[in-house]
Amino acid sequence: MGSGSAIRGSRVGAGPMGEAERGEAAPRIRVAFYCANKHQVVPSFAHDAQIPDEWDCPRCGFPAGKDPENPPAPPKTEPYKTHLAYVKERRSEADGEAILQEAIAKLRAERAAMSSALKSFTD
Ligand SMILES: [Zn+2]
Protein backbone atom coordinates (compact mmCIF):
# COMPACT_ATOMS: atom_id res chain seq x y z
CA MET A 1 0.00 0.00 0.00
CA GLY A 2 0.94 3.65 -0.22
CA SER A 3 3.50 5.53 1.69
CA GLY A 4 0.39 7.18 3.04
CA SER A 5 0.87 9.95 5.50
CA ALA A 6 3.40 11.98 3.53
CA ILE A 7 2.52 15.51 2.57
CA ARG A 8 -1.09 16.57 2.80
CA GLY A 9 -0.73 20.17 1.82
CA SER A 10 -1.52 21.57 5.24
CA ARG A 11 1.22 22.97 7.34
CA VAL A 12 1.82 22.18 10.95
CA GLY A 13 0.04 24.76 13.04
CA ALA A 14 -2.78 25.30 10.58
CA GLY A 15 -6.17 24.17 11.74
CA PRO A 16 -8.20 21.56 9.87
CA MET A 17 -10.08 24.37 8.22
CA GLY A 18 -7.10 26.59 7.77
CA GLU A 19 -8.33 29.16 10.24
CA ALA A 20 -4.85 29.74 11.58
CA GLU A 21 -3.83 30.90 8.13
CA ARG A 22 -6.53 33.49 7.79
CA GLY A 23 -6.77 35.00 11.24
CA GLU A 24 -3.71 37.16 10.89
CA ALA A 25 -5.11 40.04 12.91
CA ALA A 26 -5.68 37.93 16.00
CA PRO A 27 -3.06 35.22 16.23
CA ARG A 28 -4.40 32.12 17.85
CA ILE A 29 -2.65 29.46 19.79
CA ARG A 30 -3.57 25.85 19.27
CA VAL A 31 -3.05 23.59 22.23
CA ALA A 32 -3.47 19.84 22.08
CA PHE A 33 -5.26 18.08 24.93
CA TYR A 34 -5.53 14.35 25.42
CA CYS A 35 -8.22 12.49 27.34
CA ALA A 36 -8.07 9.08 29.00
CA ASN A 37 -9.66 7.54 25.92
CA LYS A 38 -6.76 8.74 23.81
CA HIS A 39 -8.84 11.29 22.00
CA GLN A 40 -7.02 14.37 20.92
CA VAL A 41 -8.66 17.74 20.87
CA VAL A 42 -6.87 20.83 19.66
CA PRO A 43 -8.83 23.94 20.58
CA SER A 44 -7.45 27.29 19.61
CA PHE A 45 -7.09 30.19 21.96
CA ALA A 46 -6.58 33.86 21.48
CA HIS A 47 -2.91 34.61 21.97
CA ASP A 48 -3.65 36.50 25.13
CA ALA A 49 -6.15 34.01 26.49
CA GLN A 50 -5.38 31.95 29.51
CA ILE A 51 -4.74 28.34 28.49
CA PRO A 52 -6.56 26.03 30.88
CA ASP A 53 -4.88 22.96 32.35
CA GLU A 54 -7.76 20.78 31.31
CA TRP A 55 -10.22 20.75 28.48
CA ASP A 56 -13.41 18.73 28.16
CA CYS A 57 -13.07 16.12 25.45
CA PRO A 58 -15.91 16.80 23.01
CA ARG A 59 -16.06 13.13 22.06
CA CYS A 60 -16.47 11.45 25.43
CA GLY A 61 -16.83 14.27 27.95
CA PHE A 62 -13.76 13.22 29.89
CA PRO A 63 -11.34 15.87 31.00
CA ALA A 64 -8.35 16.11 28.69
CA GLY A 65 -4.91 17.27 29.72
CA LYS A 66 -1.86 18.52 27.93
CA ASP A 67 0.27 15.46 28.67
CA PRO A 68 -0.62 12.61 26.29
CA GLU A 69 1.19 10.12 28.51
CA ASN A 70 -0.71 11.10 31.58
CA PRO A 71 -4.27 12.25 30.85
CA PRO A 72 -6.51 13.28 33.75
CA ALA A 73 -8.46 10.46 35.32
CA PRO A 74 -12.02 10.17 34.12
CA PRO A 75 -14.54 11.53 36.62
CA LYS A 76 -16.21 8.90 38.72
CA THR A 77 -19.05 10.54 40.55
CA GLU A 78 -19.67 13.51 38.33
CA PRO A 79 -23.03 14.55 36.90
CA TYR A 80 -21.60 13.26 33.63
CA LYS A 81 -22.05 9.75 34.86
CA THR A 82 -25.59 9.22 33.70
CA HIS A 83 -24.72 10.64 30.32
CA LEU A 84 -21.74 8.34 30.02
CA ALA A 85 -23.79 5.38 31.10
CA TYR A 86 -26.25 6.25 28.42
CA VAL A 87 -23.50 6.44 25.83
CA LYS A 88 -22.14 3.10 26.95
CA GLU A 89 -25.54 1.52 26.69
CA ARG A 90 -25.87 2.77 23.19
CA ARG A 91 -22.61 1.09 22.34
CA SER A 92 -23.82 -2.37 23.22
CA GLU A 93 -26.63 -2.37 20.78
CA ALA A 94 -28.48 -5.38 22.10
CA ASP A 95 -28.85 -3.75 25.48
CA GLY A 96 -29.76 -0.44 23.96
CA GLU A 97 -32.40 -2.06 21.81
CA ALA A 98 -33.89 -3.89 24.76
CA ILE A 99 -34.06 -0.68 26.78
CA LEU A 100 -35.60 1.13 23.87
CA GLN A 101 -38.23 -1.53 23.32
CA GLU A 102 -39.04 -1.52 27.00
CA ALA A 103 -39.43 2.24 26.97
CA ILE A 104 -41.64 2.11 23.90
CA ALA A 105 -43.78 -0.63 25.37
CA LYS A 106 -44.20 1.38 28.54
CA LEU A 107 -45.13 4.47 26.57
CA ARG A 108 -47.65 2.57 24.52
CA ALA A 109 -49.19 1.02 27.61
CA GLU A 110 -49.47 4.41 29.21
CA ARG A 111 -50.94 5.90 26.13
CA ALA A 112 -53.44 3.08 25.77
CA ALA A 113 -54.43 3.39 29.39
CA MET A 114 -54.86 7.11 29.00
CA SER A 115 -56.93 6.91 25.85
CA SER A 116 -59.20 4.27 27.27
CA ALA A 117 -59.55 6.36 30.38
CA LEU A 118 -60.45 9.33 28.22
CA LYS A 119 -62.93 7.26 26.29
CA SER A 120 -64.76 6.06 29.34
CA PHE A 121 -64.75 9.64 30.52
CA THR A 122 -66.39 11.01 27.37
CA ASP A 123 -68.82 8.11 26.93
ZN1 LIG B 1 -12.28 11.62 24.81
Side-chain angles (χ1 to χ4, degrees):
M1 295 292 258
S3 49
S5 57
I7 301 136
R8 282 221 209 104
S10 71
R11 290 194 284 122
V12 176
M17 287 165 288
E19 64 265 59
E21 306 274 35
R22 269 180 277 140
E24 289 296 334
R28 296 184 76 77
I29 301 167
R30 301 188 74 87
V31 182
F33 292 87
Y34 307 85
C35 79
N37 285 329
K38 302 197 189 308
H39 298 140
Q40 185 188 12
V41 54
V42 191
S44 66
F45 300 90
H47 72 288
D48 57 352
Q50 206 176 3
I51 312 295
D53 288 335
E54 289 189 359
W55 191 260
D56 282 342
C57 172
R59 290 172 68 182
C60 66
F62 284 7
K66 279 179 265 188
D67 183 359
E69 302 298 323
N70 192 18
K76 275 183 188 157
T77 49
E78 293 293 310
Y80 267 127
K81 202 188 174 214
T82 40
H83 173 69
L84 280 176
Y86 174 69
V87 169
K88 268 181 199 160
E89 266 151 23
R90 284 191 55 173
R91 269 189 205 147
S92 76
E93 287 197 4
D95 280 8
E97 186 69 15
I99 287 163
L100 194 71
Q101 292 303 332
E102 203 180 291
I104 289 171
K106 213 182 216 178
L107 243 160
R108 284 203 181 126
E110 271 167 24
R111 204 182 277 176
M114 193 180 281
S115 74
S116 71
L118 274 174
K119 237 179 221 163
S120 65
F121 188 69
T122 48
D123 274 349

